[in-house]
Amino acid sequence: MIRVLVVDDNPVVRDALRAHLDASGVARVVGEAGDGRTALAAARRLRPHVTLLDYRMPVADGLSIVAELARLTAVLALTSEDADAVVRDMLRGGARGYLVHGEFDPAELVRAVTVVASGRGWLSPAAATVAAESLRRAQEAAEAGARAAERHRETQRRYGLTPREREVLDLVAEGLANVVIAERLRLTEKTVKNHLHAVFTKLGARNRTEAVLRWTGR
């Protein structure tokens, strides 16, 4: 029997969830809470397998407790909120699943609880769309980063800067002044200027801006 904690500030919603789960034969509601603070205390005391967690609640909302709650129990977010940011933040916080009111029936609720209790994830259509989009954006960002890194490596090979010259130019790219670069690398300011002169010559740059642009491949 899957032990479930129901966390929602609406007692009518809690009663409905309890009725559906207790009638399922596979899950039993062992406790309820109407705010985040009470939910954490109940989770520590009752050790439920799954906690149904609302997003908007008084005292402490779902987002503020999801990470801590996820260390005690499998969290299935169950809320009317389907905003992209809310879905992403709850899943990043540790929720294994996300259900949106109006997008599931009692049978799907029981299936979601069962799946989440087994260690897998469950997403309603709206939440799945957000998760897929976040994954796509993360993949695109990773690919763009890899391409930029390869361009940078090719630039390094082309210009043949020494390790010290690369260090100096990387700090110039961060916007640091010569005196700060000298302190960072434990060099004299004159030595930094000498390295920069060599860098400008190798890159064919007239100034710091041109050198940084060519070095970063922009």
Side-chain angles (χ1 to χ4, degrees):
M1 188 69 70
I2 301 170
R3 296 164 52 83
V4 180
L5 172 65
V6 176
V7 183
D8 194 296
D9 63 336
N10 188 331
V12 175
V13 172
R14 296 201 303 269
D15 287 346
L17 293 173
R18 176 185 285 275
H20 293 321
L21 292 171
D22 286 352
S24 69
V26 299
R28 178 169 61 88
V29 175
V30 295
E32 298 180 13
D35 63 77
R37 187 178 301 168
T38 305
L40 286 173
R44 295 188 189 101
R45 184 178 72 257
L46 300 171
R47 295 293 175 175
H49 300 119
V50 176
T51 294
L52 303 181
L53 179 64
D54 190 17
Y55 172 71
R56 292 191 181 279
M57 294 182 296
V59 184
D61 64 19
L63 183 57
S64 68
I65 67 165
V66 63
E68 186 174 355
L69 192 61
R71 291 192 286 269
L72 302 169
T73 172
V75 176
L76 174 59
L78 198 162
T79 176
S80 59
E81 289 287 341
D82 61 357
D84 292 3
V86 174
V87 175
R88 284 196 302 269
D89 290 345
M90 290 291 279
L91 294 177
R92 288 172 180 168
R96 285 188 192 167
Y98 200 105
L99 285 176
V100 178
H101 285 297
E103 291 191 356
F104 64 91
D105 57 22
E108 184 174 353
L109 169 65
V110 174
R111 286 196 299 272
V113 168
T114 303
V115 168
V116 168
S118 72
R120 293 173 289 163
W122 185 283
L123 299 175
S124 68
T129 298
V130 173
E133 180 64 16
S134 294
L135 181 61
R136 183 187 67 79
R137 291 177 180 173
Q139 184 173 358
E140 288 180 349
E143 291 173 352
R147 289 193 297 269
E150 180 55 34
R151 287 197 302 270
H152 188 51
R153 286 192 292 270
E154 177 58 30
T155 302
Q156 291 177 331
R157 290 190 290 268
R158 184 188 316 134
Y159 292 115
L161 271 59
T162 67
R164 180 62 84 185
E165 289 166 352
R166 291 199 297 269
E167 284 183 318
V168 170
L169 189 49
D170 282 338
L171 293 176
V172 169
E174 292 181 18
L176 302 184
N178 288 354
V179 62
V180 179
I181 295 173
E183 292 175 356
R184 182 79 62 86
L185 299 179
R186 298 183 179 179
L187 302 172
T188 66
E189 190 173 353
K190 184 177 186 304
T191 300
V192 171
K193 290 179 179 178
N194 289 339
H195 283 309
L196 280 178
H197 178 72
V199 166
F200 291 167
T201 299
K202 291 180 178 181
L203 270 62
R206 292 171 296 179
N207 52 49
R208 299 164 80 91
T209 300
E210 284 188 6
V212 169
L213 290 176
R214 292 181 184 180
W215 180 237
T216 57
R218 295 174 183 171

